[in-house]
Amino acid sequence: MDVRVTDLGKLTYADAFEIQRETLEAVLEGTQPSTLLFVEHPPVLTLGASFHEENLLFPISEYERRGIQVHRTDRGGDVTFHGPGQLVIYPIFNIEPLGKDLHRWIRQLEEVILLTIQEF
């Protein structure tokens, strides 16, 4: 399987999210191979599809006052923080040929990541 690796450097969550959407379209259309996007974000909280307001320590306005961007997203999860020095990797793969078993694919990806980290 061909995989493209792209280092986006430091980028806001909103800008990286737009690149993810564009990349997803290209991967699904077959005009680009599966892709790993590497990025570092300025301080940001993402509020996922399972977001619960009571899981925030402060009101959203307080995070923004402290220079932490806040973005709602359609992805799973609740509240996630990303910040300087943290490498974030977004895998964009067409898993349809793999049998559509997303959970199995995620477990395999986790295993690859653990084995790779072990090498370093």
Side-chain angles (χ1 to χ4, degrees):
M1 170 187 286
D2 289 334
V3 177
R4 176 184 289 177
V5 176
T6 303
D7 184 352
L8 300 176
K10 293 182 181 179
L11 207 56
T12 67
Y13 181 81
D15 289 341
F17 191 73
E18 183 59 33
I19 291 170
Q20 290 173 67
R21 287 192 183 274
E22 293 167 1
T23 302
L24 175 62
E25 287 179 28
V27 168
L28 292 178
E29 290 170 357
T31 59
Q32 180 174 320
S34 292
T35 301
L36 291 171
L37 297 175
F38 288 66
V39 66
E40 179 182 348
H41 295 303
V44 62
L45 282 179
T46 58
L47 311 178
S50 301
F51 168 63
H52 295 93
E53 186 94 28
E54 64 269 14
N55 291 334
L56 291 176
L57 297 176
F58 308 108
I60 290 173
S61 60
E62 178 61 19
Y63 290 103
E64 292 170 341
R65 187 189 72 73
R66 293 176 182 216
I68 300 170
Q69 299 172 355
V70 179
H71 288 276
R72 291 192 183 268
T73 181
D74 58 357
R75 303 231 174 110
D78 192 349
V79 178
T80 304
F81 175 80
H82 298 296
Q86 177 190 28
L87 176 64
V88 181
I89 303 172
Y90 296 108
I92 302 173
F93 284 64
N94 181 355
I95 66 166
E96 201 168 87
L98 305 174
K100 296 185 184 183
D101 185 344
L102 178 61
H103 292 103
R104 179 172 176 234
W105 186 84
I106 289 172
R107 286 190 302 275
Q108 290 172 339
L109 179 62
E110 288 172 341
E111 183 67 20
V112 167
I113 292 167
L114 290 172
L115 293 172
T116 302
I117 290 171
Q118 193 174 36
E119 287 297 311
F120 289 96

